[in-house]
Amino acid sequence: MPPALEASGVTKRFGAVVALNDARLTVGRGEVHALLGANGCGKSTLCKIIAGTVARDDGEIRVAGEARALASPRAAEAAGIALYYQELSLVPQLTVAENVFLGHEPRGFGGFVDETTLNDRTDLLIGRFAGVAGEGFTARTRVSDLSPDQRQITEILKVLARKPRLIIFDEATAALDRRQVDVFFSIMKDLRAEGISSIFISHRLDEVFRVADRITVMRNGATVADFATAETTPEAIVREMVGDVRLGPKGGTAAPAEAAEIRLSVEGVTGGRLQGVSFAARRGEILGLGGLQGQGQKRLLAGLFGADPFTGGRVLLDGEPVAPRRPADAIAAGFGLVSGDRARDAAFPGRSILENAAMASLVRDKARLILLGPLRSRFSRTLSGLKTRYAGLNAPIGSLSGGNQQKIFIARWLAARPSVLLLDDPTKGIDLGAKADFFAIVRALAGTGATILIYSSEDADLLSLCHRVLVFNGGRITADLTGSTLDAMALTRAAYGEAA
Amino acid sequence: MATLLDGRLWLITLTALLVLVGVNAALQPNFLEPSVLQSNLTTFLPLVLVAIGQTYVVLAGDIDLSVGAVVALVNVTTVSVIAALGGDSQSVLAGLAAGIGVGIACGLVNGFFVAVLRFQPIVTTFATSIVFAGLALRILPDAGLPVPEAYWRGYAGGLFGVPTVVLVLAAALVTIAVVGRRPFFTRLRAVGGQRTAAFQTGLSVGRLRIAAYVLSAVFAALASLCLTGETASGDPLMGQTLALSSISAVVLGGTALAGGVGGPFGSLLGALVLGMIGNVIFFAGLPFEYQTLVQGLIVLAALAGGVLVARR
Amino acid sequence: MDRLIQILKDPLLIAALAILVLLGAGELLSPGFARGDQIVRLLTVAAILGIVAAGQNLVVLGGREGIDLSVGAVISLGAVIAGNVMSGNDAAILPAVAAAAGAGFLVGIVNGLGVTVVRIPPLVMTLGMMGVLQGALVVLSRGVPSGNAAPALMAFVNQPFVLGIPGILFVWAAIAVLMAFVLRRTAFGWSIYAIGSNERAAVLTGLAAGRIRTILYGLSGLFAGVTGVCVIGYTGNSFISVGDQYVLPSVIAVVIGGTSLAGGSGSYTGTILGAIALVLLQSVLTTLQMEFWSRQVIFGATLLVLMLLYGRQARLRV
């Protein structure tokens, strides 16, 4: 019997960037197959090609032995493939049931939508998550009223409702709590028993080893290894993912002296997931916000920056209370924010590198006229100091790689001289070399006395960069790790809410 | 309040309509007489129809500024075809069919540019409206060319004692109900609510958007045929204000211009509210020169209110 | 090859080529079309369009589907106000300009607040404002034409001023320099592009996007009010729908000039070329003695062709 899926020689370019170069993947019938690799290795692109939302440049894909073009999501669906989307594919304005059966609405008399069947079947599906689905989650609930984990469950149900032969789960567990993950894994085992294959992508290695039968590892757009899970170890997998091991040096600068003065003091702030968070940060300190994703770290940064003001508590900067209602207030008080979601939060697409770099300092200095000469020489100095590679200050921001773009946005804030710099998952989507440069910049900035708060979705970043890490769980700080107590083991244990 | 009104913003529109009806009845004692009601409905019906059609386009996240020009083009086509075929009852039927056919063609043109060539909808339908209006002037350079008596008598009269305008309204309501229960309607809202999600789910986004434009143009064509029954002649400049009024009616009816939320029933009420505002201002005895201003202000205030309520 | 295509797709180049082709076509059809005084005549018409398009340009650059469809009614308002303030009196020209510009600015600010504070989509807000202004114009003029231009204003717009060129062209040139300076050499200009290209990022960089956008609508109103003064100077008197004919061309001039309707990219230089190309096209079509309907159809078709060049939206599948 031919395998459920056989992809070979798949290539894809986005403009000048090669996203996939000879990617291979073979998934057997009724197999849970994990697809692993570092950020930007191409695994999401490969999945989107299999699901028909991205067009491949070259390569062959066979589904159950039959060569397929997979020219659209409809074509992929016709071939029995369903993709669980990391970027959710739900329509917030529709109800859970309307979303779950979108495009497959049960029909009654005369081809009209049979709403009773629609809602009953959806409630039955929700029932698989009985006890762990949370409050106010029914077939008739509007998706915009759901919590993030409930949306993720809805997305899973939507995939199941399509009754596919092959399911791609791309980070399907990211927003789920542990009990919900357990239910999800039992569903995956049921699927396997029914002969349905699945491709599983997760950034949690422990989950992969719990559920996967086989593992394929990708690096730089190519497939580099294929293992049976039983015959490999997490260490071997990580070695394949990283390739040439090049972790950043640990502790490039000494931790600030205990005597260094307190710069930022946060007292019992609330809002969103935050359940009353208090801590203090010193001048020159690099303070990490650790823990699993979605435990309130991003909310804290958004609150400090005035993008999403706190609902309670207070913040002192150099002893003075600050309560920014909008980012402009926070910037005036001396905060800066570098986000890893550059396209959404930072870039002015189509505009020049200079415009992108200069905007924050123009605002901070309340500039009216632009003196192009001085501005250009100032930023070309800054950017060469940051080892940025760029064609010229007039080139559009989009001509740069992710790592070099992030240097532009760092330069944006360096020029505004913030006393507290907030980093929101800043290394997302940038390569290892650029990451090392980025860390050096952050350390140098801290060396000048700036206080740095960093949230990262990768623990390794926090371990190699931070003087101290506050671990978040359920909107509270559950551990304060520093010096000898700060290591990967302690971080992971604290993240899962266990005592260090 | 939020959950009570969830997806039922038209309840507010309905309340406003009832209040306006009350005020109008107080100002104009014979307002509730059948003949007066029928003449009012005759006046409001074209906007009601255009607004219903516009709703489908707006739900899909697009907009149709060409509806007014479609009304004009359908009108001149219909009267010209009737005149060319001699004006008997068969030629009237041929004229009606030609009008609807032209409407469908206009909708397909709009849908092609917006959904297939991916043009920006506002400017595109602006541009097609210029072309449609130009063609209308080509077909009939000046107002005139009366329709046969059978046409306008039929429109002013009725069938089995029910006035034709009421039958048209009832047919529109049935159409709304039928379309609203088809999978098409949910899918259309998905396309307007989150286009990438709809695409990833495997919906034929392009086809759905084209269908919405065709529906809009067909409703505009029906509105044109009604207007023709009312004016009994051709006018290449007919319906110029309908694009704006229909969008106002859609917003007043609780449909979000961003797409995905709302429905044509609200737009129907919104169109009636717009018509009633004009009535009330007229019967309130306001000096003539202030009437346009007051109507403009009320519409703007209502639009602002509609947007605020929809946002909650 | 790619580079060549890039250059050939430059809106400024396309608009400039279109101008040359249209001039050539006009000269072929009717010798003398491209004569100096004819060109000055065309530029005068283009100047009026160009001034109102400056405001439209700013609003479109500011993004969020920015568009100002009330400019026509504001032009009419400006013309009526200016005509009544002047009443043919040369001494009252400056007060007339100030009154028309001020009224336009106020209307624009109301548009801006509606768009930013109440968050009414710009298309709807400005169309609604158009309805209100049309009503206000009926009240102001009681339905009859009122007010007339001062002789000096008419001379300034229509007669040679310096070097055989009417004064209005100097005003347009000054506006062009000012627009280029503001957009390229001031922090305000850069912030317009910033909010137009990515509003969220602009806010996170500390820009007050709502305030900036409100000002843009105010400026659009101001330019339209000034255009009203130019219109009454051009024709001598006004009627309440005198500005309607400028709404659509002001948007088209901006689009021809390569300003993206999505906001955040484009220039006033392009809009100037767009205004000139548009006026030339109209003139050539008139020279061809085309009927009104065919001019309309060609107009609409031109716009559709332009959309094909740079008004397309992103593909869903990449």
Side-chain angles (χ1 to χ4, degrees):
Chain A
M1 220 165 35
L5 178 89
E6 211 176 355
S8 57
V10 179
T11 63
K12 175 67 185 176
R13 275 177 212 87
F14 293 106
V17 181
V18 179
L20 287 181
N21 176 26
D22 189 25
R24 284 172 289 114
L25 179 65
T26 304
V27 181
R29 294 223 172 165
E31 177 179 279
V32 176
H33 196 111
L35 187 56
L36 298 178
N39 285 332
C41 71
K43 55 187 190 289
S44 285
T45 305
L46 178 60
C47 289
K48 285 179 181 167
I49 286 173
I50 295 170
T53 57
V54 168
R56 64 181 185 262
D57 296 335
D58 204 358
E60 189 190 50
I61 298 179
R62 290 179 170 275
V63 180
E66 205 177 317
R68 298 273 191 167
L70 302 176
S72 70
R74 288 169 70 79
E77 199 178 300
I81 297 169
L83 171 58
Y84 167 92
Y85 279 89
Q86 191 181 342
E87 304 109 42
L88 295 177
S89 76
L90 302 179
V91 181
Q93 293 90 341
L94 302 185
T95 66
V96 170
E98 285 170 336
N99 266 290
V100 166
F101 285 98
L102 187 60
H104 297 261
E105 302 80 0
R107 311 274 192 107
F109 170 76
F112 291 98
V113 178
D114 181 350
E115 292 209 19
T116 319
T117 311
L118 175 76
N119 288 315
D120 288 353
R121 279 211 231 155
T122 308
D123 278 326
L124 213 64
L125 280 168
I126 295 174
R128 296 186 80 155
F129 280 86
V132 299
E135 295 288 303
F137 186 14
T138 71
R140 289 179 170 80
T141 315
R142 260 219 256 170
V143 164
S144 56
D145 294 334
L146 296 181
S147 61
D149 56 323
Q150 291 172 333
R151 288 183 193 211
Q152 196 154 33
I153 291 172
T154 306
E155 187 79 38
I156 292 169
L157 301 182
K158 182 173 164 185
V159 171
L160 296 179
R162 257 134 251 264
K163 302 206 182 304
R165 305 300 306 157
L166 171 71
I167 310 181
I168 306 168
F169 290 107
D170 188 354
E171 293 285 6
T173 57
L176 302 186
D177 68 28
R178 287 163 79 197
R179 294 174 310 149
Q180 292 165 338
V181 170
D182 289 341
V183 174
F184 173 66
F185 283 173
S186 76
I187 292 175
M188 285 190 82
K189 280 174 187 142
D190 293 348
L191 292 174
R192 176 160 54 191
E194 292 166 37
I196 296 168
S197 315
S198 38
I199 298 173
F200 181 68
I201 296 181
S202 171
H203 66 287
R204 301 181 188 168
L205 261 188
D206 56 334
E207 288 184 352
V208 169
F209 275 82
R210 257 178 80 188
V211 74
D213 301 313
R214 289 191 71 81
I215 300 174
T216 289
V217 180
M218 292 180 67
R219 192 198 316 146
N220 299 329
T223 299
V224 291
D226 181 2
F227 300 105
T229 311
E231 292 160 14
T232 187
T233 61
E235 291 72 31
I237 297 290
V238 171
R239 264 200 306 279
E240 290 293 348
M241 284 199 282
V242 178
D244 60 317
V245 180
R246 207 178 122 198
L247 287 172
K250 181 166 160 48
T253 47
E258 283 291 311
E261 58 192 280
I262 301 285
R263 165 150 280 162
L264 179 71
S265 169
V266 173
E267 301 174 358
V269 294
T270 57
R273 282 207 82 153
L274 296 175
Q275 312 275 333
V277 162
S278 305
F279 63 91
R282 298 174 186 282
R283 285 176 63 97
E285 186 171 37
I286 304 176
L287 182 60
L289 311 176
L292 298 179
Q293 290 183 26
Q295 304 301 311
Q297 304 98 326
K298 279 173 169 281
R299 181 68 185 80
L300 176 70
L301 295 178
L304 288 171
F305 200 60
D308 195 355
F310 295 125
T311 55
R314 65 175 193 158
V315 177
L316 302 174
L317 184 65
D318 292 323
E320 297 289 322
V322 286
R325 307 306 300 171
R326 56 184 67 83
D329 302 342
I331 292 163
F335 286 91
L337 174 86
V338 176
S339 164
D341 198 341
R342 293 174 290 278
R344 191 181 68 144
D345 296 338
F348 300 125
R351 307 312 305 171
S352 70
I353 290 172
L354 184 63
E355 281 182 65
N356 271 282
M359 198 47 79
S361 49
L362 292 175
V363 173
R364 183 93 202 259
D365 300 344
K366 296 196 166 55
R368 296 199 182 281
L369 295 186
I370 284 167
L371 304 170
L372 215 48
L375 199 65
R376 291 181 70 91
S377 55
R378 179 172 160 202
F379 278 98
S380 47
R381 259 202 318 278
T382 313
L383 292 180
S384 59
L386 300 181
K387 293 199 265 174
T388 316
R389 280 198 306 213
Y390 61 102
L393 286 171
N394 287 335
I397 186 79
S399 64
L400 300 182
S401 68
N404 279 311
Q405 279 191 29
Q406 196 61 300
K407 288 177 185 172
I408 304 296
F409 301 129
I410 281 277
R412 173 188 283 179
W413 290 107
L414 291 183
R417 298 172 304 278
S419 49
V420 179
L421 187 62
L422 311 171
L423 304 175
D424 182 359
D425 212 357
T427 57
K428 204 162 105 185
I430 69 179
D431 63 56
L432 286 174
K435 197 185 260 192
D437 290 349
F438 182 81
F439 286 173
I441 296 164
V442 172
R443 288 196 193 94
L445 183 62
T448 66
T451 300
I452 315 278
L453 258 60
I454 174 172
Y455 162 70
S456 175
S457 54
E458 291 182 46
D459 287 354
D461 286 1
L462 299 178
L463 289 170
S464 60
L465 186 65
C466 296
H467 301 132
R468 185 157 69 101
V469 175
L470 305 172
V471 183
F472 283 68
N473 189 307
R476 294 177 199 282
I477 294 176
T478 50
D480 183 343
L481 308 174
T482 183
S484 59
T485 63
L486 178 57
D487 60 38
M489 198 60 179
L491 200 52
T492 309
R493 291 178 65 142
Y496 278 96
E498 296 168 26
Chain B
M1 164 113 172
T3 45
L4 187 74
L5 284 175
D6 202 31
R8 289 185 201 84
L9 287 171
W10 52 267
L11 281 174
I12 298 178
T13 319
L14 183 62
T15 313
L17 181 61
L18 293 176
V19 170
L20 282 165
V21 166
V23 173
N24 196 338
L27 290 171
Q28 183 196 6
N30 66 350
F31 174 72
L32 293 172
E33 283 174 20
S35 65
V36 178
L37 281 178
Q38 184 181 341
S39 96
N40 271 316
L41 183 57
T42 309
T43 312
F44 302 157
L45 195 55
L47 178 59
V48 166
L49 294 173
V50 174
I52 289 172
Q54 181 78 260
T55 315
Y56 295 111
V57 175
V58 172
L59 278 177
D62 293 318
I63 203 155
D64 188 354
L65 295 183
S66 74
V67 282
V70 171
V71 166
L73 186 56
V74 168
N75 163 270
V76 297
T77 307
T78 303
V79 298
S80 303
V81 166
I82 293 174
L85 294 181
D88 55 11
S89 58
Q90 296 232 316
S91 67
V92 170
L93 284 179
L96 295 180
I100 300 287
V102 164
I104 292 172
C106 290
L108 285 173
V109 167
N110 283 330
F112 173 76
F113 282 119
V114 173
V116 180
L117 295 183
R118 305 192 312 278
F119 286 10
Q120 204 262 6
I122 292 179
V123 180
T124 303
T125 53
F126 219 7
T128 57
S129 79
I130 308 171
V131 174
F132 297 158
L135 292 175
L137 282 166
R138 166 73 185 84
I139 294 171
L140 189 69
D142 299 297
L145 213 55
V147 295
E149 198 176 327
Y151 190 143
W152 56 264
R153 271 203 190 282
Y155 185 66
L159 208 61
F160 310 119
V162 185
T164 310
V165 284
V166 174
L167 290 174
V168 173
L169 184 68
L173 280 168
V174 169
T175 311
I176 291 176
V178 168
V179 173
R181 300 288 308 279
R182 310 293 300 185
F184 167 77
F185 190 66
T186 314
R187 296 176 187 178
L188 202 61
R189 288 195 295 134
V191 167
Q194 194 85 310
R195 193 161 293 157
T196 45
F199 169 73
Q200 287 169 347
T201 306
L203 301 185
S204 311
V205 174
R207 241 187 275 170
L208 288 162
R209 291 171 81 189
I210 293 174
Y213 273 108
V214 170
L215 263 178
S216 169
V218 167
F219 270 100
L222 288 172
S224 175
L225 299 180
C226 291
L227 265 175
T228 310
E230 196 187 340
T231 62
S233 70
D235 177 4
L237 302 178
M238 181 184 267
Q240 284 186 330
T241 59
L242 280 172
L244 167 60
S245 317
S246 66
I247 292 166
S248 303
V250 167
V251 174
L252 285 179
T255 297
L257 280 170
V261 179
F265 184 64
S267 309
L268 180 150
L269 295 174
L272 293 178
V273 164
L274 279 180
M276 291 300 296
I277 289 174
N279 260 11
V280 168
I281 289 172
F282 181 78
F283 286 108
L286 210 64
F288 169 75
E289 65 259 36
Y290 284 91
Q291 287 183 6
T292 332
L293 176 62
V294 172
Q295 177 145 17
L297 284 172
I298 291 178
V299 169
L300 191 57
L303 285 174
V307 170
L308 281 174
V309 171
R311 210 169 75 205
R312 274 184 266 147
Chain C
M1 190 60 202
D2 281 357
R3 217 180 129 71
L4 188 69
I5 290 171
Q6 274 307 312
I7 292 172
L8 287 179
K9 277 186 86 175
D10 182 350
L12 294 186
L13 190 71
I14 292 176
L17 282 177
I19 289 173
L20 290 178
V21 169
L22 285 166
L23 270 179
E27 183 66 31
L28 271 178
L29 291 166
S30 142
F33 183 88
R35 227 173 41 217
D37 58 332
Q38 278 304 313
I39 289 181
V40 166
R41 191 80 211 142
L42 285 170
L43 283 177
T44 305
V45 179
I48 298 176
L49 175 59
I51 294 171
V52 63
Q56 191 70 263
N57 201 171
L58 290 175
V59 166
V60 174
L61 277 180
R64 271 253 189 112
E65 308 211 308
I67 194 164
D68 187 351
L69 298 183
S70 71
V71 288
V74 176
I75 290 173
S76 306
L77 184 72
V80 168
I81 289 176
N84 281 294
V85 172
M86 282 185 290
S87 313
N89 178 4
D90 282 353
I93 292 179
L94 284 181
V97 174
F105 184 71
L106 282 180
V107 169
I109 291 291
V110 174
N111 277 332
L113 291 175
V115 168
T116 58
V117 179
V118 192
R119 282 192 258 161
I120 305 175
L123 176 87
V124 176
M125 178 67 212
T126 56
L127 273 175
M129 178 58 81
M130 185 176 96
V132 172
L133 291 179
Q134 283 169 343
L137 281 162
V138 174
V139 175
L140 270 179
S141 62
R142 284 170 200 84
V144 292
S146 70
N148 48 354
L153 178 69
M154 292 187 65
F156 186 77
V157 174
N158 292 303
Q159 307 295 322
F161 177 61
V162 177
L163 303 170
I165 296 168
I168 189 173
L169 287 181
F170 291 98
V171 172
W172 193 24
I175 288 174
V177 172
L178 192 70
M179 286 283 289
F181 178 76
V182 168
L183 287 175
R184 292 180 195 180
R185 290 289 187 277
T186 68
F188 177 69
W190 284 25
S191 60
I192 296 171
Y193 287 111
I195 65 166
S197 64
N198 184 348
E199 176 161 352
R200 186 182 160 86
V203 170
L204 287 175
T205 315
L207 291 171
R211 200 163 64 205
I212 294 167
R213 189 167 288 122
T214 306
I215 294 173
L216 295 180
Y217 280 92
L219 290 174
S220 177
L222 186 144
F223 278 118
V226 171
T227 308
V229 180
C230 299
V231 166
I232 196 174
Y234 185 70
T235 57
N237 47 35
S238 72
F239 52 98
I240 59 172
S241 58
V242 67
D244 290 359
Q245 54 179 317
Y246 291 96
V247 181
L248 183 55
S250 74
V251 178
I252 302 180
V254 169
V255 176
I256 298 180
T259 296
S260 154
L261 283 168
S265 86
S267 70
Y268 186 58
T269 318
T271 300
I272 291 174
L273 295 177
I276 295 173
L278 201 56
V279 169
L280 268 172
L281 175 65
Q282 263 169 331
S283 178
V284 168
L285 294 180
T286 314
T287 309
L288 280 170
Q289 294 182 317
M290 275 202 185
E291 287 173 81
F292 181 70
W293 74 268
S294 47
R295 273 187 276 157
Q296 278 234 342
V297 171
I298 290 178
F299 229 69
T302 307
L303 193 49
L304 288 172
V305 170
L306 285 167
M307 300 290 294
L308 188 63
L309 288 174
Y310 21 73
R312 296 182 74 181
Q313 299 177 318
R315 248 176 216 287
L316 287 169
R317 189 167 190 258
V318 287

